[in-house]
């Protein structure tokens, strides 16, 4: 276990890109296609959370050359650590019943900030900025402006012009936008509802560039547990979802992509362009409560088809987390769902999936 953890962290530090074979033939409004593909190279499951226990997968963000990891503890308080140091309780005594979200963002392409969002027990969304990772200083919790209340998690994605926050109320997706300038966070007056079909849950990638410009890619669970996907330009209020071929039914879905968050590559000739096209969708099956994966190496235009994650069982009763790294690798994280070897219930585990 120790050697595998060291090896995987070394891979995240080196960030080489693993090439994959893409598929052809899905005919979607966003141009998807599918055909047989070579199996992706996967690592082994490791205990990423150490002593931490959570009913949810943890969330991560790359900040000042280290990972910041955020988790909802079994006490429903928010815990964090920086660079694999000991876990610490976030100040402010915030409580949540859903996974918090961490996101780092370039500020005008130069310096960076890191902010954590969570859904409070009162239904409002809150945020706090990391001010000093070494001393553990954070800003106080502030409420995201607007009248919206939700009992779902807040997903956050970044681009060069700020952050997009997404959540679900009454099976509809609502979004808020945050811009950071002059040392302050600026939001719209209220959340806006997307013109999209009814969905039960959703996740979104960070912004990336594709042939139609800067976009986000969404994965959602529909009303019959089908997997819906959409590619949306930044600022558009219309997200046209279509079912991802393959017939998957999921308890929960998650999506993430690779690439350097501080460098939004705009040209196919940029070495970072290929890395940010690596994507994976994770699905927890309602049949066996195991993790299944669907992968793309061209920004979601072609998908590999659903396959069980390799290396034996992957029990989980909660949504997975999919996140990427600088050179194009993509990782899956789970809250382990049972006391089955080699882990205990609610251990936070991770593996490389691309």
């Amino acid at each position: 276990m120790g050697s595998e953890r060291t090896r995987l962290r070394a891979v995240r530090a080196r960030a080489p890109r693993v090439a994959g074979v893409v598929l052809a033939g899905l005919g979607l409004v966003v141009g998807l296609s599918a055909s047989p593909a070579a199996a992706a190279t996967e690592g082994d499951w490791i205990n990423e959370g150490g002593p931490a226990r959570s009913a949810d997968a943890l969330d991560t963000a790359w900040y000042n050359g280290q990972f910041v990891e955020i988790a909802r503890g079994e006490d429903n308080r928010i815990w964090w650590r920086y660079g694999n140091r000991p876990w610490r309780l976030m100040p402010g005594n915030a409580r949540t019943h859903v996974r918090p979200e961490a996101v780092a963002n370039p500020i005008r392409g130069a310096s960076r900030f890191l902010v954590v969002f969570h859904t409070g027990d009162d239904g409002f969304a809150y945020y706090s900025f990391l001010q000093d990772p070494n001393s553990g200083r954070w800003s106080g919790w502030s409420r995201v402006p607007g009248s919206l209340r939700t009992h779902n998690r807040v997903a956050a994605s970044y681009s060069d012009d700020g952050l997009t926050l997404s959540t679900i109320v009454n099976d509809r997706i609502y979004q808020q936008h945050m811009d950071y300038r002059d040392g302050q966070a600026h939001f719209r007056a209220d959340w806006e509802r997307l013109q999209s079909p009814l969905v039960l849950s959703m996740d979104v990638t960070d912004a990336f560039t594709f042939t139609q410009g800067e976009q986000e890619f969404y994965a959602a669970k529909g009303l019959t547990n089908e997997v819906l996907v959409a590619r949306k330009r930044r600022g558009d209020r219309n997200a046209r979802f279509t079912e991802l071929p393959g017939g998957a039914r999921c308890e929960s879905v998650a999506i993430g992509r690779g690439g350097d968050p501080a460098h939004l590559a705009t040209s196919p000739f940029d070495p970072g362009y290929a890395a940010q096209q690596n994507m994976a969708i994770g699905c927890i099956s309602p049949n066996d409560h195991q993790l299944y994966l669907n992968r793309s190496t061209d920004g979601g235009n072609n998908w590999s088809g659903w396959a069980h994650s390799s290396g034996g069982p992957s029990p989980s009763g909660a949504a997975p987390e999919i996140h990427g790294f600088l050179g194009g690798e993509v990782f899956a994280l789970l809250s382990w769902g049972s006391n089955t070897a080699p882990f205990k219930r609610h251990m936070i585990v991770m593996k490389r999936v691309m």
Side-chain angles (χ1 to χ4, degrees):
M1 176 75 67
S3 61
E4 171 61 16
R5 182 183 182 85
T6 300
R7 183 194 67 79
L8 197 152
R9 287 194 175 277
V11 165
R12 293 212 288 188
R14 291 195 310 271
R17 181 174 182 271
V18 176
V21 180
V22 295
L23 325 167
L26 286 187
L28 213 58
V29 265
V30 293
L32 299 183
S33 53
S35 67
T41 301
E42 291 191 33
D44 298 325
W45 289 110
I46 65 168
N47 175 9
E48 172 63 14
R53 298 291 183 271
S54 177
D56 298 312
L58 61 78
D59 197 33
T60 68
W62 185 248
Y63 180 74
N64 284 356
Q66 297 286 345
F67 275 101
V68 174
E69 297 176 314
I70 305 291
R72 174 176 73 101
E74 291 185 309
D75 56 3
N76 292 325
R77 295 192 292 178
I78 301 174
W79 295 78
W80 76 286
R81 69 176 179 179
Y82 175 67
N84 205 30
R85 298 173 186 175
W87 287 94
R88 291 183 276 183
L89 186 65
M90 279 193 66
N93 199 33
R95 293 181 181 271
T96 183
H97 284 78
V98 292
R99 187 177 76 216
E101 181 91 346
V103 60
N105 195 58
I107 304 174
R108 304 292 181 251
S111 57
R112 296 168 58 79
F113 67 82
L114 183 137
V115 58
V116 170
F117 296 92
H118 81 275
T119 301
D121 287 345
D122 59 3
F124 289 113
Y126 292 86
Y127 66 97
S128 177
F129 285 98
L130 178 60
Q131 296 176 329
D132 184 349
N134 294 309
S135 67
R137 190 172 74 251
W138 293 78
S139 69
W141 290 104
S142 300
R143 204 184 91 184
V144 175
S147 58
L148 178 137
R149 292 180 186 235
T150 180
H151 295 294
N152 293 299
R153 64 180 284 259
V154 173
S157 62
Y158 57 76
S159 74
D160 285 340
D161 70 346
L163 303 181
T164 296
L165 311 181
S166 303
T167 192
I168 293 177
V169 179
N170 296 328
D171 305 334
R172 293 284 192 179
I173 299 174
Y174 285 78
Q175 292 190 322
Q176 219 340 339
H177 183 81
M178 188 194 91
D179 182 27
Y180 189 88
R181 62 184 185 273
D182 304 322
Q184 294 183 344
H186 299 266
F187 294 87
R188 293 174 178 151
D190 210 339
W191 298 69
E192 296 181 348
R193 194 182 81 179
L194 288 188
Q195 300 170 8
S196 59
L198 298 176
V199 297
L200 298 176
S201 66
M202 56 78 61
D203 200 9
V204 58
T205 65
D206 298 309
F208 68 104
T209 55
F210 201 65
T211 54
Q212 291 83 17
E214 187 179 325
Q215 300 176 24
E216 300 157 317
F217 203 96
Y218 292 73
K221 182 178 78 167
L223 297 185
T224 60
N225 293 341
E226 74 277 22
V227 179
L228 303 173
V229 292
R231 185 183 290 128
K232 185 176 79 68
R233 292 184 180 89
R234 301 285 296 192
D236 286 355
R237 295 187 62 188
N238 183 18
R240 294 181 294 169
F241 282 87
T242 296
E243 184 171 355
L244 182 67
R249 293 295 181 267
C250 302
E251 290 182 337
S252 57
V253 295
I255 188 169
R257 70 158 180 86
D260 184 352
H263 178 60
L264 192 63
T266 58
S267 167
F269 301 103
D270 187 321
Y273 186 89
Q276 71 184 11
Q277 306 299 314
N278 275 359
M279 290 186 186
I281 297 176
C283 162
I284 301 299
S285 168
N287 298 319
D288 59 8
H289 310 293
Q290 304 283 321
L291 176 65
Y292 291 79
L293 295 161
N294 212 331
R295 305 167 176 93
S296 172
T297 58
D298 64 356
N301 191 53
N302 300 281
W303 292 89
S304 61
W306 293 103
H308 189 283
S309 63
S310 66
S314 52
S316 183
E321 166 67 2
I322 306 292
H323 80 88
F325 194 56
L326 310 182
E329 296 93 343
V330 180
F331 299 85
L333 295 106
L334 293 176
S335 169
W336 203 249
S338 64
N339 289 312
T340 55
F343 305 113
K344 298 295 185 181
R345 179 176 171 83
H346 285 181
M347 280 186 173
I348 302 170
V349 302
M350 178 182 75
K351 74 182 302 184
R352 177 179 174 174
V353 298
M354 290 184 76

